[in-house]
Every structure is written in structure tokens, then in C-alpha cells.
Amino acid sequence: MTVFKAIDTSLVCLATNFTSYSPLVNIIHRTLMSSIDMEGIRELCAILPNLAFIFPNVTKPVGQSSRLSPIGEIGARRNRLDYLFHVLVKSLCSTVRLVFALDDMQWADLLSI
């Protein structure tokens, strides 16, 4: 299971128990809204579909081009995703302790790490 998949799965718990977790959901919403732009929120929702319940008004981008990106754009996109992930984890850790258990790292290839 990837880190993104694990976080997306935990977001299901927040969605199904919204009344219990509403303070945490509000903090995540407020932190992300103050830290990244709407395009960043859209990108996170594309990677983590269950994040959309925290941002129900975020629409999916329309008319994306299917052309291949030049190498420079790929590097910039990777940096952008790294930054968005950092902001997301920071917002999750702002009120609760977050533990990542990395299992079977010996099987990971260079691109996965």
C-alpha cells in the first residue's frame, strides 16, 4: 500500500465518523486552505479522492491536455506534489499524532522511494 493510499483510506474514517472528527476535519480544511491554492487542493483531491469530502466545492479540472510533459515540467510537477504532500501531512499532524509504518522497504525500487 502506498502512503497516498494509506492516507486516502484513513480519510474514509474521517468521512464516515464526521461528527466525532469534525474538529480535526475543520483544522485540516483551514490549514490546507491557508497554505495552498485551489489548484493544489484539486491536485490533492485527484490523488486522494476521499479528501473531496473535506472540500466538497472543489471541482475537477476541465479540459486537461493529454500531451506529454517536457522533462522540466515533470521535475517541477514532482516538486509540487512533494510540497503538497508535505503541507497535507503537516496539517494532519497539527492536532493528532501521525505514525507511518514502512514495511517491506527492501522491495522498494528507486522510483518508489
Side-chain angles (χ1 to χ4, degrees):
M1 178 180 285
T2 66
V3 174
F4 284 112
K5 180 70 173 169
I7 291 175
D8 196 46
T9 302
S10 66
L11 289 171
V12 172
C13 181
L14 293 178
T16 56
N17 300 306
F18 182 76
T19 54
S20 302
Y21 293 109
S22 63
L24 176 61
V25 170
N26 290 334
I27 289 170
I28 293 170
H29 185 274
R30 188 173 54 247
T31 303
L32 290 177
M33 288 299 289
S34 66
S35 302
I36 55 179
D37 58 359
M38 285 307 281
E39 185 59 33
I41 301 274
R42 280 188 199 95
E43 289 177 43
L44 280 175
C45 287
I47 296 169
L48 306 165
N50 292 313
L51 187 64
F53 89 91
I54 296 177
F55 299 98
N57 297 328
V58 173
T59 58
K60 293 183 176 154
V62 182
Q64 287 187 343
S65 111
S66 60
R67 68 177 177 83
L68 295 176
S69 299
I71 298 297
E73 288 181 27
I74 292 171
R77 177 124 173 95
R78 170 80 190 244
N79 288 339
R80 171 92 168 148
L81 290 176
D82 287 347
Y83 170 74
L84 293 173
F85 182 70
H86 173 79
V87 171
L88 175 66
V89 169
K90 187 176 176 182
S91 70
L92 290 172
C93 293
S94 64
T95 57
V96 296
R97 292 183 184 173
L98 186 64
V99 177
F100 284 109
L102 302 174
D103 191 21
D104 292 333
M105 286 297 291
Q106 73 272 18
W107 301 113
D109 60 359
L110 217 50
L111 291 175
S112 300
I113 301 173

